[in-house]
Amino acid sequence: MATNHIAIACQGGGSHAAYTGGVLPILLEAFDNRADGDGADRTALVAISGTSGGAISALLGWYGFITGGAPEAERRLDAFWQANSALGLAEATINHLSRGLADLAALGGWDIKSSPYVLPLAGLELWNATAWPALARMLGRDNPWMRPDFFSLPDLLHPGVDWPLVTLLGEFASIPVEVERWLRSDLEAAMFPSTAPCQERYRADRGAVEGRIADKLGAAGRLRARMEQIGVGPGSLLHAALERWRPPAVRFDAGALEELADAVRHALRPIPRLLLGAVELHEGEFVAFSSERAPGDGGISIDAVLASAAVPWLFRAHDMAGLDETTLAPRPLTLWDGLFSQNPPIRNFLSGVGDDAHKPDEIWVVQINPTQARLDADGPHIAFNGGEIWDLRNALAGNLALNQELGFVDAINRRLESGRGDDASPTGAAAQRRDKVVQVDRIVMDGTAVEAAAGMPLGANSKLDRDPALRGALWEHGATQARRYLALRRHVPTLFADLDGTLAGACACAAGQRPDGAGGVLRPDGAARLGELVIDGATVHGIAPDVPGTPQALVAWRSAHTQVNGRPVRIEGRTELAATDGPGAAWRLKDVQITAVVPKPAPQRTPTQPRAPEGRQAVPVRPPSEARH
């Protein structure tokens, strides 16, 4: 049985992350994480990450998925984003007044942003945390004006996440981390004589780790009890994972502990990893809180969510307790929104992963910020006033962090391919690496479509707008884009069936002809020997076909095993697709471009290195029902 491993990365964007809330339930329906052993090909979710508002959607989608599948994820996401909307009369009034003043200031070119540590924002924070909930309680529980928890993210999240269950899962999942610490201490101790003074410290370190491992082994039983208490049933992924748990005999030696770590990883293999991004201010380091670590030790907690959502000019940096990774000594953490670090975490999908089965073959990015500045119908639109400049700066800052993360993936892909060549050995050094070439797709929010549906402009200020109409438009647009993306995955193999036709389409576009009407082949005399087409990534953009400068979808591709005049080359290109008219979701070729033709170096072989084809399987994009290693 072949499994296609997928990771989903959710970009942050404040209230705009309701778009992600609409995307995730549709995508989650495509995954089968419970299949094991022989059977049909399947697609499995191995990780999901998010930052800021994307962290909230990722958390709720992940929690719902492991406790009740895609329907439960949708229920929890919808409940949160509806509760986050300004529903009461006082809530709506304050929301509209704040949005109106911010937009008015933007029209005048004024930047009204202040520091949350000084007035007036410091006073507003105190009011929201004390006076507002007190007044709401005085008016009664069901009053139509205001809710006590309107400004409290922990209270809004409370119905959607059972934090004791998340804590117990993190404690159990972190056993391999503790095993790694024990093994490191054991190896360090082996470097010195048994009488060396440092041996006492190493023994104490291993004793502390052994105590934590013994306690965390008991977390599995406590987790089962909590699941029964809150009603997480046998049909859930979490229940299926604990059914797989077969604790080996525990001995504190290297072999037995490695066996224990493998057993925990095997049991939790159906559970995707959750990663939440933030940045730590003392050291300036990126932090990705993980569901495979214990709370207080880099794990998932309400503190991790609040840290990821701490927008610097609106909220104070979030203080929480942590551990020094080297010494394990307690240390304070001061964290900001991950907009400035990993928006969202992506490189963590590939680096520092203990279980190779949790490394993705593909990464699906749910992108909120546009990929380019908005264009007018009569030409490029230049940002003149302060509001437009701030809006564009905000979008570019969010995409800067995203593109840095994706650049890391692209660098690994290119390094792997340059090291393999057409004659690399599957049994050689390249095959021994755990890294693998990863396809990256994007599902981009179409701001023009959301503006039309919500009846209001977007911009940076709308990322703090909690208007129910905006939430509804974002949610529905997210669901639509997710369906269009899955339809694209199903349709691309027929559009990119062979490289010959694709390159002929590029030639037709260069001649001003329609690509889907192109015929013929390249160099029928045999000077051009074509290989297979590899899809690097597909991106779903806008909905309307007449939005200037915004393609509906783009597919980046490259050739494999291609030769021109006997020389191996790599051909890179991109194809623009347009949606067909009618009720069915289908696509057609609109424009094809060859972006690069790069000579490939001749493979270097030794007498002990046999000839073999390139390591990566060169196939088109596969639909969710198909899979590949």
Side-chain angles (χ1 to χ4, degrees), residues 63-257:
Y63 183 88
F65 185 64
I66 67 173
T67 58
E72 185 66 15
E74 180 176 17
R75 186 185 71 80
R76 293 176 183 273
L77 284 161
D78 185 55
F80 172 82
W81 285 110
Q82 288 212 39
N84 187 66
S85 301
L87 303 177
L89 297 177
E91 297 168 3
T93 300
I94 290 176
N95 183 71
H96 289 314
L97 181 62
S98 300
R99 172 72 191 271
L101 290 174
D103 287 345
L104 183 63
L107 288 174
W110 306 315
D111 189 351
I112 60 173
K113 296 172 180 63
S114 180
S115 167
Y117 294 91
V118 299
L119 295 174
L121 285 183
L124 286 175
E125 183 179 13
L126 182 62
W127 164 270
N128 293 340
T130 57
W132 176 279
L135 181 58
R137 293 187 183 96
M138 288 176 58
L139 294 174
R141 178 179 183 139
D142 298 322
N143 78 83
W145 293 88
M146 54 202 299
R147 291 166 294 164
D149 56 1
F150 180 66
F151 289 110
S152 173
L153 180 56
D155 289 339
L156 290 175
L157 277 173
H158 180 72
V161 180
D162 184 75
W163 291 112
L165 184 141
V166 173
T167 297
L168 290 169
L169 177 59
E171 289 180 354
F172 178 62
S174 67
I175 289 176
V177 174
E178 300 292 359
V179 169
E180 290 176 5
R181 289 168 174 167
W182 191 97
L183 294 173
R184 184 183 67 186
S185 178
D186 188 52
L187 290 173
E188 289 174 343
M191 297 170 59
F192 303 98
S194 59
T195 57
C198 59
Q199 292 290 359
E200 183 176 350
R201 176 170 62 85
Y202 289 135
R203 283 192 293 270
D205 290 344
R206 291 196 299 276
V209 172
E210 291 168 6
R212 291 197 298 269
I213 289 176
D215 181 66
K216 291 179 178 182
L217 282 170
R222 297 192 295 272
L223 182 57
R224 287 191 181 97
R226 185 63 184 178
M227 290 165 54
E228 183 176 356
Q229 182 180 356
I230 64 176
V232 177
S236 67
L237 284 177
L238 195 53
H239 188 277
L242 291 179
E243 285 292 305
R244 294 159 53 101
W245 170 237
R246 299 292 184 270
V250 179
R251 301 187 313 275
F252 291 104
D253 60 69
L257 288 178

Side-chain angles (χ1 to χ4, degrees), residues 27 48 110 130 195 220 247 276 406 434 455 526 566 591:
L27 298 185
I48 182 169
W110 306 315
T130 57
T195 57
L276 307 182
L406 294 180
R434 296 190 301 170
D591 184 64

Side-chain angles (χ1 to χ4, degrees), residues 3 55-56 93 138 192 276 342 367 390 425 442 499 529 552 558:
T3 303
I56 294 172
T93 300
M138 288 176 58
F192 303 98
L276 307 182
Q342 297 170 287
Q367 183 172 335
W390 170 257
S425 168
R442 304 193 195 202
L499 179 59
R529 185 164 64 91
Q552 289 187 286
R558 59 189 163 76

Side-chain angles (χ1 to χ4, degrees), residues 313-385:
W313 58 267
L314 190 62
F315 302 109
R316 299 187 183 196
H318 187 73
D319 294 319
M320 61 180 290
L323 293 179
D324 185 277
E325 185 62 30
T326 302
T327 65
L328 300 185
R331 68 161 178 150
L333 300 176
T334 302
L335 302 123
W336 259 353
D337 186 336
L339 171 70
F340 299 100
S341 58
Q342 297 170 287
N343 187 24
I346 291 178
R347 70 185 65 192
N348 303 82
F349 291 152
L350 306 174
S351 61
V353 182
D355 187 355
D356 279 357
H358 270 176
K359 282 194 173 183
D361 300 298
E362 302 178 31
I363 297 173
W364 299 352
V365 180
V366 183
Q367 183 172 335
I368 289 175
N369 291 313
T371 56
Q372 61 187 30
R374 184 173 300 185
L375 303 177
D376 283 338
D378 55 351
H381 175 75
I382 301 176
F384 285 111
N385 65 54

Side-chain angles (χ1 to χ4, degrees), residues 422 499 530-534 558-562 569 600 614 618:
D422 286 348
L499 179 59
L530 303 179
E532 297 173 284
L533 195 69
V534 176
R558 59 189 163 76
S559 64
H561 318 302
T562 300
V569 299
K600 297 175 66 174
E614 189 178 56

